[in-house]
Amino acid sequence: MNQTIRVLTVDDSSLFRQMLIQHLSSQPGIEVVGYAVNAYDAKQKIPVLKPDVLTLDVEMPGLSGIDFLKQLLPTNPIPVVLVSSLNLSVFDALSAGAVDFVRKPDMSPHSKESFFASLTLKVRAAARAKVRISKQPAGASQNNAQAPAKPLPFPPLSRAVLDSTIIGLGASTGGTEATLAVLKKLPAGMPGIVITQHMPEGFTEMYAQRLNRICSLEVREAKNGDIIRPGLALIAPGAKQMEVVRSGSNYIVQCRTGAKVSGHCPSVDVLFHSIAKNVAIKKVGIIMTGMGRDGADGLLEMRQSGAFTIGQDKESCVVYGMPMVAFNIGAVCTQASCENIPSVLLNHLKK
């Protein structure tokens, strides 16, 4: 993007707000056009300042960030990056239409440096993102959004298929809701699934718990040595790389602290490359919405090793980056919308 990204910062802490403004203003191609001290202040300033991206504190006095998003986005579909402490309300805000989130740092230099680097990347990604509009009105209970979903009506898969297949899925920006949209349509009787979603440490466990409440599948944050088995989806823990390896008659996950790969920890490429190299049974790879190219090379290796691969299509992606690169390099067998990926997957497994 050649044009300057206009950012409005919404945060009730004057000290933290000033830190955000100072950092973002120093980044090439980003201009902080103003700030708001709460949601009401933001509602007044948005029509005047016309920002391209909002950074939004989730928990502020007065109108909650979630209800603010539900009021704002139907008439002003502005990409929003949440800036939040470790809090479940982040996932409600993402469900309400926010594009992505960054975890607030502690005061250590490394934490602040990592936070600002992540924030800058996510603001740039948000400027290119498509905004989804929540179907729930402002003030509606989030309990409905978290109610157990009904999977697609589909004939049960055979035990042979369940025991002889591993499914890998990777996503980034927009992926928290996209991955949920796929998993909640799948029946409990599925082959083992391993998932890498770009997400900070701490949030992956809460995300897994949220999915476990909604989906028919069992969903857990992965722990080192977990056995991959039918009916279970394992999510890579934040700040750790997750690989699939053979252990006797089982396949297990190894979760280890490691360097960033393709710019990320956890990295989709790390997961996909391990599946391609180590899994001798049937394999399926799914790459979903996200900026950049993490997972594309790993998905290509999966396809070259005999895997069936699915890429989310442009129309349904919040950011058509990772799936686009994967498609362009020949890593994708078929593209499908987020809505249709579950049926494409189930029909493939049935065959």
Side-chain angles (χ1 to χ4, degrees):
M1 293 179 61
N2 294 322
Q3 67 186 49
T4 300
I5 301 168
R6 297 166 55 84
V7 178
L8 177 68
T9 296
V10 188
D11 198 296
D12 64 310
S13 165
S14 59
L15 177 62
F16 192 72
R17 195 171 61 235
Q18 194 54 44
M19 285 171 53
L20 293 178
I21 293 169
Q22 185 176 350
H23 171 76
L24 289 172
S25 297
S26 71
Q27 301 304 301
I30 296 177
E31 177 189 0
V32 179
V33 295
Y35 68 84
V37 299
N38 56 40
Y40 297 108
D41 190 20
K43 286 174 72 174
Q44 298 295 318
K45 290 179 175 176
I46 286 167
V48 178
L49 298 174
K50 296 181 169 53
D52 301 312
V53 176
L54 258 61
T55 68
L56 177 68
D57 187 6
V58 179
E59 294 190 323
M60 294 180 295
L63 186 67
S64 77
I66 298 158
D67 283 342
F68 170 60
L69 288 169
K70 290 178 181 177
Q71 292 179 15
L72 171 74
L73 297 181
T75 53
N76 292 278
I78 302 167
V80 174
V81 177
L82 307 168
V83 181
S84 174
S85 54
L86 188 62
N87 195 300
L88 266 174
S89 60
V90 164
F91 298 108
D92 292 334
L94 290 165
S95 178
V99 168
D100 210 339
F101 72 98
V102 189
R103 182 177 183 175
K104 282 188 173 180
D106 57 34
M107 288 301 104
S108 70
H110 175 74
S111 177
K112 287 199 284 187
E113 182 183 342
S114 176
F115 164 77
F116 284 125
S118 182
L119 176 67
T120 304
L121 286 171
K122 294 190 177 191
V123 165
R124 295 190 191 282
R128 298 170 49 188
K130 281 186 281 191
V131 177
R132 297 175 305 98
I133 308 301
S134 171
K135 294 177 183 176
Q136 281 195 305
S141 168
Q142 286 297 310
N143 292 332
N144 293 331
Q146 297 182 24
K150 293 182 180 179
L152 291 173
F154 201 86
L157 297 169
S158 70
R159 191 74 221 178
V161 169
L162 297 180
D163 291 336
S164 65
T165 311
I166 288 177
I167 300 165
L169 186 151
S172 187
T173 309
T176 52
E177 292 304 300
T179 299
L180 168 58
V182 170
L183 292 190
K184 72 182 183 182
K185 285 191 166 188
L186 298 178
M190 288 292 296
I193 302 174
V194 283
I195 299 167
T196 290
Q197 164 71 48
H198 296 159
M199 195 177 290
E201 187 176 5
F203 284 96
T204 42
E205 183 176 7
M206 293 194 301
Y207 180 58
Q209 290 169 354
R210 180 184 178 93
L211 266 56
N212 190 57
R213 287 194 300 270
I214 299 171
C215 302
S216 298
L217 287 158
E218 180 185 357
V219 185
R220 287 197 279 108
E221 182 187 56
K223 291 180 174 57
N224 190 49
D226 276 346
I227 295 172
I228 300 167
R229 58 169 174 78
L232 175 64
L234 294 170
I235 295 178
K240 290 186 178 179
Q241 299 290 11
M242 184 170 79
E243 296 182 283
V244 175
V245 298
R246 185 76 178 262
S247 177
S249 60
N250 297 312
Y251 287 96
I252 65 169
V253 291
Q254 287 184 342
C255 304
R256 297 173 177 168
T257 303
K260 290 182 178 181
V261 175
S262 303
H264 298 279
C265 184
S267 161
V268 183
D269 268 329
V270 168
L271 176 65
F272 284 176
H273 280 307
S274 74
I275 295 172
K277 290 172 182 169
N278 301 330
V279 175
I281 56 177
K282 295 187 176 89
K283 298 166 277 206
V284 178
I286 305 170
I287 192 163
M288 301 188 71
T289 176
M291 187 176 182
R293 61 174 297 132
D294 185 31
D297 293 334
L299 194 73
L300 178 60
E301 188 180 1
M302 281 187 67
R303 185 177 186 184
Q304 290 169 341
S305 70
F308 177 69
T309 58
I310 305 170
Q312 187 176 351
D313 67 9
K314 181 178 181 179
E315 290 70 28
S316 66
C317 280
V318 170
V319 177
Y320 186 56
M322 289 158 48
M324 177 188 72
V325 177
F327 179 78
N328 288 343
I329 66 173
V332 174
C333 295
T334 186
Q335 292 193 103
S337 68
C338 188
E339 186 80 8
N340 290 334
I341 285 173
S343 59
V344 171
L345 172 60
L346 287 166
N347 283 322
H348 168 75
L349 294 173
K350 186 181 177 183
K351 292 175 186 175

